[in-house]
Amino acid sequence: MKTPFHIMLIPTLGCPSHCAYCWSSEEGSPVMSIETVGEVAEWLRDFRDDPVTITFHGGEPLLAGAKFYREALPMLAEGLDRQGCYFAMQTNLWRMTPEIAEVLAEYRVPLGSSIDGPRDLNDLQRGDGYFDKTMQGYEIARAHGLTVSFICTFTSCSVDHREEIVDFFLENGFTLKLHPALPSLRGREPEKWALSPEKYGELLVYLLDRALEHPGRMEIMNINDLCRGVFSRHGTVCTFADCMGNTFAVGPDGSIYPCYRFVGMPEYVMGHVRDRPTAEDLAASPAGQMMQAYKEYVDEHCKGCSHIRYCRGGCPYNAIAPTGGEIRGVDPHCTAYTKIFDEINDRLNAEMFEGPSMMEMNPFGSRRGREAKPGIMALMHRIVMR
């Protein structure tokens, strides 16, 4: 069976928005040349004989413009046709135009964007006017048949408004994926907005409850991924998987990194697309060796943890970037991960071994003949069978 892998292509580090809690560079930063895109296609053609998903990330990828995507998408799709090539994009949608939307729709590029809840809450964190600009781009994207899902960043300020935020996503029918605000290595007032691991764990349990309250109506991607990991016994998204060797990022100049979060940090450059490095070449680079060292650290440090198979110590960037590359521990959000994984396992065990038999259960996970109450087994069944 072929193993899909993931390339994050960063056309530009520029970004027109300057969120209060994250770092973004100024507009006007260099845009990846179409020649570099060709180098990417040439490199990937012989890099692995597996399907590849290319996610345009940033910065803000729409700053590259319609002409860039009109040339880049067919170049990559045709160049990687043998192994299979799929696209995605993470964008704030501010620069979405009908012209760009038409190009993306031709290649069925799903979009991810960011909204932190209702307008007032969102703009408090992201700046005045952010909500309206994103919604304007959203309407253009949807009018052209593009699929859009939203990431919601919970901060130390917004977590107290979690009910209002979740209701906003539910009422609008938006898919919710959440990120906890982390102390930015390059941001202003890095600790002010950061969500503590304890609060993050409580938030995840709250979202599990909300997902169970609305089976089939509310899509919380994090809860789906966490439940899927527990069910399958291995992580299904990069935070909880051995992403090393299956995920890379390519910066505007063609430099290769372990992940988009490292882009722009010279000490994490693994190679350059023009040199056509092999997987072995990338693994042998100082950055590749650091990632391998983290993997080995997790194997030893977390070997007694019941969740190691589907957690893998969390995100390597969260663990090693803030320390300047020294491996001093796992992802600082370990406390949150432990809390939600314990919760899912405890509830699953209770339903399986302490609850009514399967013959007595209705599709919502409650005993037949009683008021339907959602159960985690029903949620897992829906997620896995999708």
Side-chain angles (χ1 to χ4, degrees):
M1 177 182 291
K2 292 187 175 183
T3 304
F5 69 108
H6 191 191
I7 299 294
M8 301 180 188
L9 212 60
I10 317 299
T12 174
L13 293 176
C15 183
S17 63
H18 293 270
C19 306
Y21 53 79
C22 68
W23 169 84
S24 59
S25 62
E26 298 292 337
E27 290 187 67
S29 65
V31 175
M32 180 180 286
S33 69
I34 202 65
E35 289 76 21
T36 299
V37 175
E39 297 278 9
V40 171
E42 290 291 333
W43 168 54
L44 292 177
R45 182 179 294 130
D46 298 319
F47 182 69
R48 276 174 58 168
D49 189 26
D50 294 311
V52 57
T53 295
I54 296 177
T55 297
F56 297 95
H57 217 293
E60 172 46 55
L62 290 184
L63 288 174
K67 182 176 183 294
F68 174 85
Y69 291 104
R70 197 178 297 112
E71 296 180 36
L73 288 170
M75 182 178 292
L76 292 165
E78 294 166 13
L80 302 172
D81 179 65
R82 177 176 58 83
Q83 58 261 62
C85 180
Y86 307 91
F87 298 110
M89 179 181 287
Q90 183 65 32
T91 166
N92 63 21
L93 292 172
W94 289 16
R95 298 303 179 94
M96 181 61 70
T97 65
E99 186 179 10
I100 294 177
E102 288 174 7
V103 178
L104 299 181
E106 182 179 350
Y107 288 87
R108 299 178 182 177
V109 181
L111 306 178
S113 192
S114 295
I115 282 290
D116 292 349
R119 180 183 286 103
D120 290 348
L121 282 172
N122 178 86
D123 288 2
L124 175 67
Q125 298 187 161
R126 293 187 174 267
D128 291 341
Y130 189 108
F131 184 96
D132 289 339
K133 291 177 183 178
T134 296
M135 286 296 104
Q136 182 178 356
Y138 170 78
E139 294 299 336
I140 295 173
R142 294 292 295 151
H144 286 80
L146 292 166
T147 300
V148 183
S149 59
F150 287 102
I151 291 173
C152 177
T153 299
F154 280 86
T155 69
S156 58
C157 298
S158 66
V159 71
D160 292 334
H161 300 276
R162 60 190 183 183
E163 184 173 358
E164 182 181 353
I165 292 170
V166 173
D167 286 345
F168 166 82
F169 277 85
L170 182 62
E171 291 164 6
N172 286 278
F174 293 156
T175 296
L176 169 62
K177 181 179 181 181
L178 70 107
H179 278 176
L182 293 165
S184 173
L185 301 185
R186 296 172 279 196
R188 304 179 299 276
E189 300 181 287
E191 299 292 343
K192 176 181 177 181
W193 301 91
L195 185 65
S196 72
E198 294 76 19
K199 288 285 189 180
Y200 184 31
E202 293 171 5
L203 174 63
L204 288 171
V205 173
Y206 169 78
L207 291 174
L208 174 62
D209 288 334
R210 292 300 302 268
L212 293 174
E213 287 174 10
H214 303 282
R217 185 184 168 203
M218 184 166 199
E219 192 78 10
I220 303 178
M221 294 174 66
N222 306 68
I223 299 303
N224 291 356
D225 293 330
L226 292 165
C227 288
R228 191 180 292 113
V230 170
F231 181 87
S232 64
R233 312 308 288 176
H234 68 86
T236 59
V237 291
C238 63
T239 299
F240 305 114
D242 283 327
C243 57
M244 287 78 87
N246 288 318
T247 299
F248 299 99
V250 180
D253 66 348
S255 294
I256 303 169
Y257 301 82
C259 172
Y260 83 96
R261 301 183 72 186
F262 293 103
V263 172
M265 304 171 73
E267 64 271 30
Y268 292 100
V269 173
M270 307 176 77
H272 197 284
V273 293
R274 63 168 174 261
D275 300 321
R276 311 289 193 273
T278 64
E280 292 74 19
D281 293 333
L282 298 179
S285 68
Q289 292 177 10
M290 186 182 303
M291 300 297 284
Q292 178 62 31
Y294 177 73
K295 180 177 179 177
E296 293 172 358
Y297 176 85
V298 169
D299 288 337
E300 179 62 27
H301 179 82
C302 302
K303 63 183 180 182
C305 177
S306 60
H307 309 305
I308 184 173
R309 292 181 60 184
Y310 46 84
C311 178
R312 297 300 307 157
C315 175
Y317 175 91
N318 291 350
I320 64 179
T323 66
E326 293 185 27
I327 300 174
R328 302 176 188 168
V330 295
D331 185 332
H333 280 129
C334 175
T335 302
Y337 305 150
T338 301
K339 186 176 184 66
I340 187 60
F341 282 132
D342 283 346
E343 189 76 20
I344 292 171
N345 276 284
D346 288 348
R347 294 190 189 193
L348 184 59
N349 288 333
E351 286 186 26
M352 291 179 65
F353 302 114
E354 300 172 17
S357 68
M358 292 300 292
M359 293 296 293
E360 297 178 282
M361 301 288 280
N362 65 32
F364 293 99
S366 64
R367 196 185 297 271
R368 294 184 188 278
R370 297 187 180 184
E371 181 183 356
K373 293 183 180 179
I376 198 165
M377 290 178 65
L379 175 63
M380 281 193 169
H381 181 268
R382 180 172 59 84
I383 292 168
V384 173
M385 295 301 293
R386 179 173 303 157

